[in-house]
Amino acid sequence: MNDSLEKKLKSHFGDLITSFVSQHGELTCEVTPENWQHVCKQLRDDAQFSFAQLIDLCGIDYLTFGEAEWQTDGVSSTGFSRGISAKGPGRFSWEERKTELMPRRFAVVIHLLSIEHNMRLRVKCFAPDTGVLAVPTLIKIWSVADWFEREAFDLFGIIFVGHPDLRRILTDYGFIGHPFRKDFPLIGNVEVKYDEEKGRVIYQPVTIEPRVTIPKTIRKDARYAENQEQLEEDS
């Protein structure tokens, strides 16, 4: 099925689709922001595709993509690298956070369904590496994209050009930053509390400290063996 769909896509769109990846029975194609709306509209309207349903739209941050989050060997002696070596998200000072954009860091991904042809397709669009993180909105093609795009904007900071009501949807309107960026501190930047003197909720710099939790490692030694034997006898 994927081979047939890929051939149709290549024949119909040509260079408008920049790449194809087929893995685990799923087909993914990539489109530039300039061709994003045009390709998506054709995927919906052309009879050989008929992707009438947008199942999902989300943002992706490829910062540290492919790097191991932690070492899986010798956990008890080295701990998890993200917590110990301060490499991962949330383990840095806000002043030292990464601010420059890396090439092809942020992407928008949609999942499409063609009920008529019983086909699924994943389409990816990388936001520009320079300037504003922006891709065109898909609301006029699939109206359900409305809240999905607001969510991607809220959590990743991706701007959807042409969206009629692009505002936060999960965090507070006064929230600072975008929580799903991998350079966003896990403890956040500010916290809210009720001020008795002012009689209202106020924002203040975050006061909590990040905690590194090391998971318990179950070892096969005499202590656990004895306990297991006791449990089996009791049962």
Side-chain angles (χ1 to χ4, degrees), residues 212-225:
V212 177
T213 56
I214 304 299
K216 180 180 179 180
T217 302
I218 305 295
R219 290 177 172 77
K220 296 180 180 179
D221 58 23
R223 293 172 297 166
Y224 298 106

Side-chain angles (χ1 to χ4, degrees), residues 176-197:
I176 300 174
H178 303 282
F180 277 12
R181 289 194 180 198
K182 292 180 180 178
D183 56 5
F184 186 85
L186 294 179
I187 60 173
N189 303 312
V190 296
E191 62 186 17
V192 296
K193 75 169 187 176
Y194 183 78
D195 189 293
E196 294 287 351
E197 295 182 358

Side-chain angles (χ1 to χ4, degrees), residues 15-215:
D15 295 337
L16 294 181
I17 295 181
T18 58
S19 68
F20 292 88
V21 176
S22 182
Q23 288 182 326
H24 310 297
E26 300 176 347
L27 181 63
T28 303
C29 61
E30 184 180 327
V31 181
T32 62
E34 295 77 17
N35 299 319
W36 183 235
Q37 288 181 330
H38 173 71
V39 170
C40 288
K41 190 174 186 301
Q42 289 292 307
L43 288 173
R44 184 198 66 180
D45 296 340
D46 194 286
Q48 62 181 325
F49 304 122
S50 299
F51 286 103
Q53 186 171 351
L54 173 69
I55 300 176
D56 187 28
L57 180 151
C58 64
I60 299 180
D61 182 357
Y62 282 95
L63 183 69
T64 70
F65 177 75
E67 298 181 12
E69 288 289 321
W70 49 70
Q71 299 175 3
T72 56
D73 297 328
V75 173
S76 61
S77 61
T78 62
F80 285 92
S81 60
R82 182 170 66 176
I84 300 301
S85 63
K87 183 177 183 180
R91 317 302 185 189
F92 57 87
S93 65
W94 183 241
E95 292 75 15
E96 297 175 353
R97 71 192 188 283
K98 295 181 179 180
T99 55
E100 70 281 0
L101 284 179
M102 61 175 287
R104 295 169 61 83
R105 173 177 170 181
F106 292 97
V108 176
V109 175
I110 60 174
H111 293 81
L112 304 178
L113 171 64
S114 173
I115 298 176
E116 181 178 347
H117 301 297
N118 190 25
M119 297 188 304
R120 295 176 184 268
L121 178 65
R122 181 186 297 114
V123 190
K124 182 186 304 183
C125 177
F126 280 90
D129 299 330
T130 58
V132 180
L133 282 174
V135 298
T137 181
L138 297 179
I139 284 185
K140 292 184 179 180
I141 303 173
W142 297 286
S143 59
V144 71
D146 184 358
W147 282 16
F148 287 136
E149 290 182 347
R150 284 181 58 188
E151 181 183 55
F153 161 70
D154 190 359
L155 301 180
F156 292 93
I158 300 172
I159 304 296
F160 291 87
V161 180
H163 192 290
D165 189 27
L166 193 62
R167 54 194 169 95
R168 293 187 183 273
I169 191 171
L170 296 177
T171 61
D172 182 75
Y173 292 144
F175 190 87
I176 300 174
H178 303 282
F180 277 12
R181 289 194 180 198
K182 292 180 180 178
D183 56 5
F184 186 85
L186 294 179
I187 60 173
N189 303 312
V190 296
E191 62 186 17
V192 296
K193 75 169 187 176
Y194 183 78
D195 189 293
E196 294 287 351
E197 295 182 358
K198 296 181 179 180
R200 61 181 176 84
V201 173
I202 63 171
Y203 287 88
Q204 65 181 24
V206 64
T207 58
I208 63 174
E209 293 292 332
R211 295 182 299 170
V212 177
T213 56
I214 304 299

Side-chain angles (χ1 to χ4, degrees), residues 225-235:
E226 292 173 0
N227 291 337
Q228 183 63 33
E229 291 175 358
Q230 185 64 44
L231 289 173
E232 292 175 353
E233 291 177 1
D234 295 341
S235 60

